[in-house]
Amino acid sequence: MSKMRRKLSFGAGAATAILLVSSWTAPAVLADTTPPDTTDEYGTSEQSMVDVWTEYEVPAETQASLLDKLDQGTPLDSMTGADPASTETHSEGSKQVTVSRFADGSISITSLAPSDTSMTMSVSGCAVDATTYAQDCRVHGWLGPVELAFRTSYTKRDRQASVYNWGQKEWGCGPGTCSVPEFELIRQYQSGDLPAQLNLVTNYNFGGANTSVTLKLFVKDRSAWTP
């Protein structure tokens, strides 16, 4: 197991504090007063990526084809935001996991869990996760050769969702290299049916080509998710 995968694993017994809020108000702390924006880089490896593919039953010949694709400087479909060819959903304890499979054989894994548990992509580990507010939550994504993570807080209320206080970036790439990731605030407040959206973006370089890779957080009404 690579150092990055150890770093981005969660303990199953984390406690969750409960805060009851009776009415919605605009967040008092916004982007200009975020926690210190630390960035931690960890090494990953081709083997850690292959381990995940094997765990999710990507055939060996497909894995070889995907590695060849990366060697040629071509990003995997799981990195580009392409529409999946199929999706499968299953339960792992208290979390729901969706595995998306793409035309080139690559996969992405998303999940949402109510507590601090080990997962491949998630919104979890909130210091407070109540009816209206979720504070200091950890957003984590595995997108093939790129892993990204950050912490943020958000509000959950019908047509009034928002995201605030983001920082504490973590990232790792392998094979290949990544630029230091940067936050991209698409929409701090929900606007009608358009969710609040915060992205963490890195530039992935391997095989002589560059690809922009993004971990996205959406918050709409009473739900938060990573696609």
mmCIF file of all heavy atoms in Angstrom, residues 9-34:
data_model
loop_
_atom_site.group_PDB
_atom_site.id
_atom_site.type_symbol
_atom_site.label_atom_id
_atom_site.label_comp_id
_atom_site.label_asym_id
_atom_site.label_seq_id
_atom_site.Cartn_x
_atom_site.Cartn_y
_atom_site.Cartn_z
ATOM 1 N N SER A 9 -6.655 6.945 4.174
ATOM 2 C CA SER A 9 -7.546 5.965 4.777
ATOM 3 C C SER A 9 -8.121 6.528 6.057
ATOM 4 O O SER A 9 -7.533 7.375 6.710
ATOM 5 C CB SER A 9 -6.782 4.669 5.087
ATOM 6 O OG SER A 9 -6.377 4.054 3.896
ATOM 7 N N PHE A 10 -9.326 6.028 6.420
ATOM 8 C CA PHE A 10 -10.017 6.523 7.585
ATOM 9 C C PHE A 10 -10.189 5.420 8.607
ATOM 10 O O PHE A 10 -10.328 4.266 8.265
ATOM 11 C CB PHE A 10 -11.411 7.043 7.208
ATOM 12 C CG PHE A 10 -11.406 8.194 6.268
ATOM 13 C CD1 PHE A 10 -11.761 8.017 4.940
ATOM 14 C CD2 PHE A 10 -11.030 9.439 6.696
ATOM 15 C CE1 PHE A 10 -11.764 9.082 4.065
ATOM 16 C CE2 PHE A 10 -11.039 10.500 5.818
ATOM 17 C CZ PHE A 10 -11.401 10.319 4.508
ATOM 18 N N GLY A 11 -10.271 5.785 9.886
ATOM 19 C CA GLY A 11 -10.610 4.855 10.948
ATOM 20 C C GLY A 11 -12.097 4.703 11.074
ATOM 21 O O GLY A 11 -12.840 5.658 10.918
ATOM 22 N N ALA A 12 -12.578 3.518 11.386
ATOM 23 C CA ALA A 12 -14.008 3.259 11.368
ATOM 24 C C ALA A 12 -14.711 3.759 12.613
ATOM 25 O O ALA A 12 -15.930 3.859 12.627
ATOM 26 C CB ALA A 12 -14.260 1.747 11.237
ATOM 27 N N GLY A 13 -14.026 4.130 13.675
ATOM 28 C CA GLY A 13 -14.706 4.417 14.921
ATOM 29 C C GLY A 13 -14.807 5.885 15.271
ATOM 30 O O GLY A 13 -14.995 6.231 16.434
ATOM 31 N N ALA A 14 -14.664 6.779 14.294
ATOM 32 C CA ALA A 14 -14.683 8.193 14.616
ATOM 33 C C ALA A 14 -16.054 8.622 15.120
ATOM 34 O O ALA A 14 -17.074 8.245 14.576
ATOM 35 C CB ALA A 14 -14.309 9.023 13.376
ATOM 36 N N ALA A 15 -16.084 9.452 16.169
ATOM 37 C CA ALA A 15 -17.352 9.920 16.725
ATOM 38 C C ALA A 15 -17.864 11.100 15.920
ATOM 39 O O ALA A 15 -17.106 11.834 15.313
ATOM 40 C CB ALA A 15 -17.147 10.341 18.175
ATOM 41 N N THR A 16 -19.178 11.326 15.925
ATOM 42 C CA THR A 16 -19.810 12.429 15.215
ATOM 43 C C THR A 16 -20.568 13.284 16.214
ATOM 44 O O THR A 16 -21.435 12.788 16.928
ATOM 45 C CB THR A 16 -20.788 11.906 14.143
ATOM 46 O OG1 THR A 16 -20.065 11.086 13.241
ATOM 47 C CG2 THR A 16 -21.425 13.055 13.388
ATOM 48 N N ALA A 17 -20.261 14.576 16.282
ATOM 49 C CA ALA A 17 -20.984 15.483 17.164
ATOM 50 C C ALA A 17 -22.255 15.947 16.474
ATOM 51 O O ALA A 17 -22.305 16.079 15.257
ATOM 52 C CB ALA A 17 -20.102 16.689 17.496
ATOM 53 N N ILE A 18 -23.315 16.222 17.228
ATOM 54 C CA ILE A 18 -24.595 16.621 16.671
ATOM 55 C C ILE A 18 -24.924 18.026 17.142
ATOM 56 O O ILE A 18 -24.865 18.345 18.322
ATOM 57 C CB ILE A 18 -25.727 15.663 17.111
ATOM 58 C CG1 ILE A 18 -25.401 14.247 16.658
ATOM 59 C CG2 ILE A 18 -27.058 16.113 16.570
ATOM 60 C CD1 ILE A 18 -25.283 14.082 15.166
ATOM 61 N N LEU A 19 -25.279 18.902 16.189
ATOM 62 C CA LEU A 19 -25.684 20.257 16.476
ATOM 63 C C LEU A 19 -27.037 20.480 15.849
ATOM 64 O O LEU A 19 -27.194 20.355 14.640
ATOM 65 C CB LEU A 19 -24.657 21.257 15.896
ATOM 66 C CG LEU A 19 -25.031 22.741 15.956
ATOM 67 C CD1 LEU A 19 -25.087 23.183 17.416
ATOM 68 C CD2 LEU A 19 -24.011 23.564 15.194
ATOM 69 N N LEU A 20 -28.037 20.824 16.646
ATOM 70 C CA LEU A 20 -29.376 21.058 16.134
ATOM 71 C C LEU A 20 -29.547 22.545 15.866
ATOM 72 O O LEU A 20 -29.326 23.381 16.733
ATOM 73 C CB LEU A 20 -30.427 20.584 17.152
ATOM 74 C CG LEU A 20 -30.373 19.091 17.477
ATOM 75 C CD1 LEU A 20 -31.439 18.751 18.506
ATOM 76 C CD2 LEU A 20 -30.561 18.263 16.228
ATOM 77 N N VAL A 21 -29.979 22.878 14.654
ATOM 78 C CA VAL A 21 -30.175 24.268 14.245
ATOM 79 C C VAL A 21 -31.597 24.405 13.749
ATOM 80 O O VAL A 21 -32.023 23.697 12.845
ATOM 81 C CB VAL A 21 -29.171 24.660 13.129
ATOM 82 C CG1 VAL A 21 -29.358 26.110 12.727
ATOM 83 C CG2 VAL A 21 -27.741 24.418 13.604
ATOM 84 N N SER A 22 -32.333 25.348 14.293
ATOM 85 C CA SER A 22 -33.757 25.421 14.004
ATOM 86 C C SER A 22 -34.089 26.253 12.782
ATOM 87 O O SER A 22 -35.142 26.108 12.186
ATOM 88 C CB SER A 22 -34.508 25.999 15.214
ATOM 89 O OG SER A 22 -34.020 27.294 15.516
ATOM 90 N N SER A 23 -33.200 27.170 12.384
ATOM 91 C CA SER A 23 -33.499 28.005 11.224
ATOM 92 C C SER A 23 -32.219 28.296 10.472
ATOM 93 O O SER A 23 -31.135 28.298 11.049
ATOM 94 C CB SER A 23 -34.170 29.317 11.652
ATOM 95 O OG SER A 23 -33.301 30.061 12.479
ATOM 96 N N TRP A 24 -32.342 28.578 9.170
ATOM 97 C CA TRP A 24 -31.171 28.808 8.327
ATOM 98 C C TRP A 24 -30.772 30.260 8.364
ATOM 99 O O TRP A 24 -31.603 31.158 8.327
ATOM 100 C CB TRP A 24 -31.476 28.403 6.898
ATOM 101 C CG TRP A 24 -30.322 28.598 5.961
ATOM 102 C CD1 TRP A 24 -29.338 27.708 5.688
ATOM 103 C CD2 TRP A 24 -30.025 29.755 5.174
ATOM 104 N NE1 TRP A 24 -28.447 28.229 4.793
ATOM 105 C CE2 TRP A 24 -28.842 29.478 4.454
ATOM 106 C CE3 TRP A 24 -30.637 31.000 5.006
ATOM 107 C CZ2 TRP A 24 -28.268 30.394 3.588
ATOM 108 C CZ3 TRP A 24 -30.060 31.908 4.142
ATOM 109 C CH2 TRP A 24 -28.893 31.603 3.445
ATOM 110 N N THR A 25 -29.455 30.518 8.438
ATOM 111 C CA THR A 25 -28.907 31.852 8.269
ATOM 112 C C THR A 25 -27.713 31.739 7.351
ATOM 113 O O THR A 25 -27.100 30.677 7.210
ATOM 114 C CB THR A 25 -28.449 32.469 9.608
ATOM 115 O OG1 THR A 25 -27.486 31.616 10.204
ATOM 116 C CG2 THR A 25 -29.633 32.647 10.549
ATOM 117 N N ALA A 26 -27.356 32.839 6.718
ATOM 118 C CA ALA A 26 -26.185 32.824 5.844
ATOM 119 C C ALA A 26 -24.950 32.497 6.668
ATOM 120 O O ALA A 26 -24.840 32.915 7.822
ATOM 121 C CB ALA A 26 -26.014 34.192 5.175
ATOM 122 N N PRO A 27 -24.007 31.724 6.127
ATOM 123 C CA PRO A 27 -22.798 31.374 6.874
ATOM 124 C C PRO A 27 -22.060 32.616 7.341
ATOM 125 O O PRO A 27 -21.859 33.562 6.590
ATOM 126 C CB PRO A 27 -21.964 30.590 5.857
ATOM 127 C CG PRO A 27 -22.949 30.101 4.862
ATOM 128 C CD PRO A 27 -24.028 31.132 4.801
ATOM 129 N N ALA A 28 -21.634 32.622 8.594
ATOM 130 C CA ALA A 28 -20.938 33.774 9.133
ATOM 131 C C ALA A 28 -19.481 33.808 8.701
ATOM 132 O O ALA A 28 -18.850 34.849 8.708
ATOM 133 C CB ALA A 28 -21.026 33.769 10.651
ATOM 134 N N VAL A 29 -18.915 32.662 8.340
ATOM 135 C CA VAL A 29 -17.509 32.576 7.963
ATOM 136 C C VAL A 29 -17.422 32.115 6.522
ATOM 137 O O VAL A 29 -17.878 31.036 6.194
ATOM 138 C CB VAL A 29 -16.753 31.584 8.864
ATOM 139 C CG1 VAL A 29 -15.269 31.590 8.523
ATOM 140 C CG2 VAL A 29 -16.964 31.940 10.335
ATOM 141 N N LEU A 30 -16.844 32.963 5.646
ATOM 142 C CA LEU A 30 -16.815 32.668 4.223
ATOM 143 C C LEU A 30 -15.369 32.537 3.760
ATOM 144 O O LEU A 30 -14.449 32.408 4.553
ATOM 145 C CB LEU A 30 -17.562 33.760 3.454
ATOM 146 C CG LEU A 30 -19.039 33.896 3.851
ATOM 147 C CD1 LEU A 30 -19.690 35.018 3.072
ATOM 148 C CD2 LEU A 30 -19.809 32.612 3.646
ATOM 149 N N ALA A 31 -15.183 32.596 2.433
ATOM 150 C CA ALA A 31 -13.896 32.207 1.862
ATOM 151 C C ALA A 31 -12.734 33.087 2.298
ATOM 152 O O ALA A 31 -11.606 32.644 2.326
ATOM 153 C CB ALA A 31 -13.994 32.219 0.340
ATOM 154 N N ASP A 32 -12.980 34.355 2.646
ATOM 155 C CA ASP A 32 -11.865 35.228 2.972
ATOM 156 C C ASP A 32 -11.313 34.989 4.374
ATOM 157 O O ASP A 32 -10.325 35.580 4.762
ATOM 158 C CB ASP A 32 -12.268 36.697 2.821
ATOM 159 C CG ASP A 32 -13.470 37.058 3.672
ATOM 160 O OD1 ASP A 32 -14.089 36.136 4.239
ATOM 161 O OD2 ASP A 32 -13.785 38.256 3.768
ATOM 162 N N THR A 33 -11.945 34.103 5.154
ATOM 163 C CA THR A 33 -11.455 33.782 6.489
ATOM 164 C C THR A 33 -11.361 32.272 6.674
ATOM 165 O O THR A 33 -11.723 31.728 7.699
ATOM 166 C CB THR A 33 -12.359 34.384 7.573
ATOM 167 O OG1 THR A 33 -13.708 33.956 7.351
ATOM 168 C CG2 THR A 33 -12.297 35.899 7.565
ATOM 169 N N THR A 34 -10.884 31.594 5.663
ATOM 170 C CA THR A 34 -10.774 30.141 5.722
ATOM 171 C C THR A 34 -9.661 29.715 6.665
ATOM 172 O O THR A 34 -8.781 30.499 7.003
ATOM 173 C CB THR A 34 -10.471 29.562 4.333
ATOM 174 O OG1 THR A 34 -9.263 30.148 3.865
ATOM 175 C CG2 THR A 34 -11.575 29.833 3.359
#
